[in-house]
Amino acid sequence: MVQQVTPETTTEVIYPESDGQPMADNTEQFAWIVKIKENLEILFASPADIFIAGDLFWYPVKGNPNIKQAPDTMVVFGRPKGKRSSYLQWDEDNIPPQVVFEILSPGNTLKEMTKKLQFYQRYGVEEYYIYDPAKNDLNGLLISGDSFEVIEEMNGWVSPRLEIRFQITSDTLEIFSPTGQKFLSPVEIDQLREQERQAKEVALQEKQAALQELEKERDRYQELLAKLKQKGIDTDNL
């Protein structure tokens, strides 16, 4: 009697792209997430191997969709830019995000933030920044060995990976690029572009006006020479 063997079936593991929760709890939290993420995109627009994402699920362990986090902003050095439904680390040369940002809201609990800290520490994050807009409080942690160490002075701190500088004023957080350019909101960026456009337009108008005036001067000079020649004056020896 021949025993029939039933082929083994493997269940496909699903890695959800969303947990149904909102990206942010309020407008200020959302504005900060957008500002940091978009300014980092601008800062690292040229390198092809720096991936930046906001509120994207990161799965570090293949086969276990329950182990995940969605940092408000994450930066991955060594991975190409491009669209992703989630960050599956085993498909990304097993490179974890090196830098993550979290923007606090009143809905964040101590338990939740502790879990995030433990997750980021365990799965390879090098720099972890937490900003509370309501309290204007910035905290940073830097990996040392297998655990995070608190950055004692954040005012003026320069990120080892990003090379951006944090400046805490009396009422807000300011972030500067390595060249000293301040991180701006999308509205501020648009306003700056409009100012630059208007300045270029004014400069062009001034240049055109100067050229027109020069042409008039040349015409007047040619008219003067013509009159002198009519009077018999040798203009070539003037």
Side-chain angles (χ1 to χ4, degrees), residues 75-219:
V75 184
V76 191
F77 289 80
R79 295 307 301 153
K81 292 176 170 55
K83 297 179 181 179
R84 290 166 174 78
S85 57
S86 57
Y87 190 82
L88 306 177
Q89 188 171 313
W90 54 93
D91 287 338
E92 306 283 354
D93 287 345
N94 206 35
I95 298 176
Q98 293 94 350
V99 185
V100 299
F101 291 83
E102 293 287 354
I103 308 300
L104 298 186
S105 73
N108 292 122
T109 64
L110 178 60
K111 181 179 180 181
E112 175 189 0
M113 297 313 297
T114 300
K115 283 184 176 180
K116 286 185 176 182
L117 187 151
Q118 293 173 339
F119 180 96
Y120 296 146
Q121 180 175 266
R122 179 173 183 179
Y123 291 108
V125 171
E126 298 173 8
E127 302 176 41
Y128 177 25
Y129 299 105
I130 311 158
Y131 181 56
D132 184 345
K135 298 179 180 178
N136 189 28
D137 183 35
L138 175 67
N139 289 279
L141 299 108
L142 197 64
I143 201 68
S144 177
D146 296 328
S147 61
F148 279 132
E149 286 189 359
V150 174
I151 301 169
E152 295 297 337
E153 181 54 69
M154 282 304 301
N155 197 17
W157 172 261
V158 176
S159 160
R161 274 281 189 177
L162 308 177
E163 298 183 355
I164 60 176
R165 177 171 58 87
F166 301 94
Q167 195 70 42
I168 305 168
T169 68
S170 59
D171 57 355
T172 192
L173 167 66
E174 294 180 345
I175 306 174
F176 297 89
S177 73
T179 59
Q181 187 171 348
K182 182 180 175 181
F183 277 26
L184 302 174
S185 69
V187 172
E188 290 171 330
I189 291 173
D190 183 68
Q191 291 173 341
L192 183 61
R193 287 175 179 168
E194 178 62 19
Q195 290 172 3
E196 291 174 347
R197 185 194 67 79
Q198 291 178 0
K200 288 180 181 178
E201 187 175 324
V202 169
L204 179 60
Q205 291 173 350
E206 291 176 346
K207 182 179 180 180
Q208 291 174 339
L211 290 174
Q212 290 174 357
E213 187 61 31
L214 180 60
E215 287 296 325
K216 290 179 181 178
E217 288 294 331
R218 288 175 179 172
D219 290 343

Side-chain angles (χ1 to χ4, degrees), residues 11-27:
T11 303
E12 181 183 3
V13 179
I14 303 299
Y15 302 92
E17 299 175 15
S18 172
D19 58 3
Q21 298 298 315
M23 179 177 177
D25 292 340
N26 55 58
T27 56

Side-chain angles (χ1 to χ4, degrees), residues 26-33 103 131 133-134:
N26 55 58
T27 56
E28 187 172 23
Q29 184 190 25
F30 181 78
W32 272 104
I33 294 171
I103 308 300
Y131 181 56

